[in-house]
Amino acid sequence: MAKKPIELGEAELAVMRALWEGGPQTVRDVMNRLHERGRAVAYTTVLTFLSRLEQKGVVASNKRDTAYVYRAKISRQSVTVSRIRTLVDQLYDGAATPVLLHLIENERFTPDEIAQLRKLIDDLDARESG
Amino acid sequence: MAKKPIELGEAELAVMRALWEGGPQTVRDVMNRLHERGRAVAYTTVLTFLSRLEQKGVVASNKRDTAYVYRAKISRQSVTVSRIRTLVDQLYDGAATPVLLHLIENERFTPDEIAQLRKLIDDLDARESG
DNA sequence: CCCCGGCTACTACGGTTGTCGTAGCACAAG
DNA sequence: CTTGTGCTACGACAACCGTAGTAGCCGGGG
């Protein structure tokens, strides 16, 4: 049972982020959050997204008082992993290394992050050879 | 002049891969290549994709004999980098580290690849502190 | 000379994504 | 009771993506 890939568009992702970062919220809350992030969408647009996301099974809602409160049913991690997998599959037939190398070469990292990275590699190495 | 992100769908990407892997080709060549890869698309479908990709400026064509020969104008590397960038931006506001960590934790690497990776980190480190 | 096979051009169409508008319901304020 | 203020439901629409059919051109074989 390979979990089916979670396909979300950019705007849908922005809505998911609002839920991830702010916890369960109403439509209006999400909208405000999007506005704060510079995304000027109408109230009904947000409602549409939340409904569609619920259809897709990635958010859930329950009514509290007058309005529905929506919450994410999937984690940012799972979406990240899914997106990476898709990228790797579509561009390199599943070979992750080229993507990894590009990532390291083209993005900026702080010394701390580099240290963290090195440690992770050591762990990997140990696991591999241990 | 930040280069605009290259947005390609999955099937478009499959066509690009045919060009990357087989060099300049005719529509028929690309179609055969897709068929070999298990993608049963009609001739005209391939033609449509190549035309659209040319519209987008990512492939070019010139007529040789009776048929047009298409070639990729952008590299697989540039697409990779662009996709990574988009992913990182959309999910973590540009912070690459979480994505990197997920990639390392969830994909498989051979000892050779790990060694290569470690070397790259050392380079990074040297560049950073040097 | 006429048809056949391959090639391009044009059109089409359903699904998804991003974006709203409008209508209608329910509750609080006057 | 009437009105306004949210909130939800439903419909709409353009752009883009995946996919393909049809028409029409052109050169080679009979």
Side-chain angles (χ1 to χ4, degrees):
Chain A
M1 43 203 227
K3 63 184 69 169
K4 63 193 82 79
I6 304 160
E7 297 286 0
L8 300 175
E10 192 215 335
E12 289 177 327
L13 217 36
V15 169
M16 289 309 292
R17 290 191 58 178
L19 294 179
W20 287 328
E21 290 163 18
Q25 298 159 70
T26 64
V27 177
R28 188 154 300 274
D29 292 336
V30 171
M31 185 189 73
N32 288 145
R33 219 164 253 275
L34 292 176
H35 287 181
E36 278 163 23
R37 314 248 323 153
R39 204 171 190 105
V41 281
Y43 182 94
T44 50
T45 302
V46 180
L47 180 58
T48 299
F49 278 131
L50 285 168
S51 303
R52 300 221 273 233
L53 289 169
E54 191 166 23
Q55 283 296 310
K56 292 186 182 184
V58 299
V59 316
S61 68
N62 63 326
K63 206 179 187 86
R64 179 160 63 200
D65 288 333
T66 68
Y68 282 98
V69 173
Y70 291 85
R71 68 171 204 284
K73 285 184 69 180
I74 58 172
S75 67
R76 191 193 299 234
Q77 284 70 36
S78 65
V79 173
T80 305
V81 170
S82 178
R83 292 272 292 229
I84 291 175
R85 197 93 266 287
T86 300
L87 196 167
V88 165
D89 282 347
Q90 285 181 7
L91 276 159
Y92 298 94
D93 271 334
T97 303
V99 174
L100 185 52
L101 299 188
H102 277 296
L103 186 50
I104 293 178
E105 277 170 11
N106 288 281
E107 304 289 337
R108 292 272 130 211
F109 300 96
T110 67
D112 270 6
E113 289 171 335
I114 294 176
Q116 186 181 2
L117 186 51
R118 195 191 303 277
K119 183 169 179 313
L120 196 56
I121 300 206
D122 289 343
D123 289 353
L124 251 197
D125 216 353
R127 206 188 309 156
E128 197 73 32
S129 59
Chain B
M1 48 202 228
K3 65 184 68 170
K4 66 192 79 77
I6 303 160
E7 297 286 0
L8 300 175
E10 191 215 335
E12 290 177 327
L13 217 36
V15 170
M16 290 307 292
R17 290 191 58 176
L19 294 180
W20 287 328
E21 290 163 17
Q25 297 160 70
T26 64
V27 177
R28 189 154 299 274
D29 292 336
V30 171
M31 184 189 74
N32 288 146
R33 220 164 252 275
L34 293 176
H35 286 179
E36 278 164 21
R37 313 246 328 152
R39 203 169 191 108
V41 281
Y43 183 94
T44 50
T45 302
V46 180
L47 180 58
T48 300
F49 278 131
L50 284 167
S51 303
R52 299 221 271 233
L53 289 169
E54 191 166 24
Q55 283 295 311
K56 291 187 183 183
V58 298
V59 315
S61 69
N62 62 326
K63 206 180 188 83
R64 179 161 63 200
D65 287 332
T66 67
Y68 281 98
V69 173
Y70 290 85
R71 69 172 205 284
K73 284 183 71 180
I74 59 171
S75 67
R76 191 194 300 235
Q77 283 71 36
S78 65
V79 173
T80 305
V81 169
S82 179
R83 293 272 292 230
I84 291 174
R85 197 93 265 286
T86 300
L87 197 168
V88 165
D89 283 347
Q90 286 181 5
L91 275 158
Y92 298 94
D93 271 334
T97 303
V99 175
L100 186 52
L101 299 187
H102 277 295
L103 186 49
I104 293 178
E105 278 168 10
N106 289 281
E107 304 288 337
R108 293 272 131 211
F109 299 96
T110 67
D112 268 9
E113 289 171 335
I114 293 177
Q116 187 182 0
L117 185 51
R118 195 190 304 276
K119 185 168 178 314
L120 197 56
I121 306 268
D122 289 343
D123 289 353
L124 252 197
D125 216 352
R127 206 189 308 157
E128 198 70 32
S129 58

